[in-house]
């Protein structure tokens, strides 16, 4: 159990989101103010996968605690690619395909009213 005063951190601990923290007191103090958290997603497909779910759930918890979640989509890695040890590099996507993928992914976040930003 945690000795944090922040309901946000207490919820994260109770739900198993936190394994260890470098400076929990500083994080606890910061959680008393409105904080902004962001997570970026590559637009290499027109949908996300289950591996993105924990990140999305964390943003939702942040929002429920009165903080500001931001979702970033697009950016350099969508165009450049990251083969992550695969035998082939990602196919280079056109700007139009990236925009189409972003539009599709945005529908996932519509119900949450997260701030949505396209990074470059």
């Amino acid at each position: 159990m945690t000795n944090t005063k922040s309901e946000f951190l207490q919820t994260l601990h109770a739900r198993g989101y936190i394994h260890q923290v470098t400076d929990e007191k500083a994080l606890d103090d910061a959680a008393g103010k409105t904080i902004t958290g962001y997570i970026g997603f590559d637009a290499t497909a027109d949908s996300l996968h289950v591996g993105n779910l924990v990140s999305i759930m964390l943003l939702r918890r942040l929002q429920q605690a009165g903080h500001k979640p931001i979702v970033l989509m697009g950016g350099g890695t969508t165009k450049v690619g990251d083969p992550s040890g695969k035998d082939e590099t990602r196919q280079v996507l056109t700007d139009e395909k990236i925009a189409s993928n972003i539009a599709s992914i945005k529908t996932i976040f519509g119900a949450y009213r997260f701030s949505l930003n396209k990074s470059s």
Side-chain angles (χ1 to χ4, degrees), residues 31-67:
K33 304 171 187 107
T34 299
I35 57 175
T36 301
Y38 74 90
I39 299 176
F41 299 95
D42 287 344
T44 53
D46 62 359
S47 64
L48 298 176
H49 54 79
V50 73
N52 299 119
L53 185 58
V54 171
S55 300
I56 295 167
M57 290 168 46
L58 183 59
L59 282 182
R60 180 65 174 143
R61 292 284 175 200
L62 187 74
Q63 183 182 47
Q64 289 171 329
H67 301 292

Side-chain angles (χ1 to χ4, degrees), residues 6 10 15 20-21 23-24 32 36 44 54 57 66 71-72 84 107 117:
S6 160
Q10 290 172 11
R15 300 262 179 190
Q20 63 187 144
V21 178
D23 188 350
E24 189 165 51
T36 301
T44 53
V54 171
M57 290 168 46
V71 173
L72 297 174
S84 301
T107 63
N117 296 297

Side-chain angles (χ1 to χ4, degrees), residues 42-110:
D42 287 344
T44 53
D46 62 359
S47 64
L48 298 176
H49 54 79
V50 73
N52 299 119
L53 185 58
V54 171
S55 300
I56 295 167
M57 290 168 46
L58 183 59
L59 282 182
R60 180 65 174 143
R61 292 284 175 200
L62 187 74
Q63 183 182 47
Q64 289 171 329
H67 301 292
K68 183 179 179 183
I70 297 175
V71 173
L72 297 174
M73 287 184 274
T77 56
T78 299
K79 283 198 150 206
V80 174
D82 173 14
S84 301
K86 298 180 180 120
D87 291 336
E88 293 182 21
T89 59
R90 283 188 194 155
Q91 284 189 325
V92 177
L93 301 178
T94 65
D95 290 340
E96 293 78 20
K97 181 60 178 163
I98 292 171
S100 173
N101 288 348
I102 289 172
S104 180
I105 293 170
K106 275 185 177 182
T107 63
I108 295 166
F109 297 102

